[in-house]
Amino acid sequence: MRPADDPGCVGCAHLVTLRALRRAGVAVQGGLGCEEGAVARFAPAYGRWAAVTGLERLRQRGAGELLAEASSAGAAFVLVADRIAPVRSIRMEEEMARAGARFAWLDLDDAAGAEARVREALDRPGTVLLALASCVNGTAHQAPFAVDPSICNRCGNCLTLACPALSDGGESSLVDPDVCTGCGRCAPLCRSGALGPGSG
Ligand code: SF4
Ligand code: SF4
């Protein structure tokens, strides 16, 4: 899907959304709100899949219709992921409740929590997950992050984000300073404290 492929999307919070889906073993049909219609196939062997769509489609069709459509096609849950700031909407939550949907927000600043919400949704029929984050495409970059090779133990946890700026450099993970936007999303994944702004 787009955040891992488009250079303009480096630093997109939906890298966390996609990481959560991959790690929970969920294949995806559909696309984020910025790429409606895209289809991601993380691995053909995955036995469970989720229907992904944008906010506009949720507004047009309603949670009940989306859930019914996804469920009849065998999807475990519906994920609504889009490129706007996450504003809590009571009206949307009431509409979900009327449609009998369980809904949960993905906090994209909490990669472990997002993964946990996706795993829970697999076991709870009728779940709509909401993942909203402002688009970073075209926004100003911060100072690039870097890996301190004397601390990095090559655990690979940061690489699970699939950020295009991060790679396995052999001796340690590496950040490409020409690609990194300084978003900082990788740093909480490093339990060793090897990743930081300009360290290394
Ligand atoms: S700070 Fe980390 S996650 Fe953000 S663009 Fe740079 S390497 Fe990628
Ligand atoms: S998470 Fe930290 S210690 Fe692990 S590979 Fe990445 S930079 Fe190195």
Side-chain angles (χ1 to χ4, degrees):
M1 286 184 133
R2 189 170 168 170
D5 303 330
D6 184 334
C9 299
V10 178
C12 173
H14 286 305
L15 285 171
V16 173
T17 307
L18 300 177
R19 175 185 182 273
L21 292 165
R22 276 195 310 274
R23 286 176 62 88
V26 182
V28 170
Q29 287 194 7
L32 309 175
C34 52
E35 52 155 22
E36 279 282 15
V39 172
R41 294 184 184 87
F42 294 132
Y46 285 179
R48 305 177 90 176
W49 65 276
V52 177
T53 190
L55 206 52
E56 192 54 36
R57 192 143 172 268
L58 174 67
R59 287 183 180 133
Q60 286 169 355
R61 306 283 296 279
E65 198 176 312
L66 283 187
L67 275 171
E69 188 182 286
S71 163
S72 68
F77 62 90
V78 171
L79 169 66
V80 177
D82 219 318
R83 55 175 168 176
I84 67 162
V87 179
R88 214 172 181 92
S89 161
I90 299 296
R91 199 166 66 82
M92 190 162 74
E93 293 182 4
E94 285 174 351
E95 197 270 327
M96 296 256 197
R98 270 200 303 279
R102 294 169 187 273
F103 70 93
W105 290 86
L106 290 197
D107 178 355
L108 302 183
D109 290 326
D110 174 9
E115 184 183 334
R117 297 294 87 71
V118 167
R119 290 184 187 280
E120 286 162 12
L122 284 171
D123 297 324
R124 292 182 182 168
T127 296
V128 176
L129 292 178
L130 289 164
L132 302 180
S134 302
C135 182
V136 297
N137 210 323
T139 59
H141 291 194
Q142 307 296 312
F145 274 46
V147 175
D148 184 336
S150 69
I151 299 176
C152 174
N153 59 20
R154 294 194 68 212
C155 69
N157 214 29
C158 56
L159 302 178
T160 63
L161 194 56
C163 171
L166 271 165
S167 62
D168 181 354
E171 303 287 305
S172 71
S173 281
L174 278 181
V175 176
D176 182 340
D178 294 329
V179 178
C180 177
T181 65
C183 73
R185 298 195 181 282
C186 53
L189 293 172
C190 179
R191 298 186 194 101
S192 314
L195 259 165
S199 63

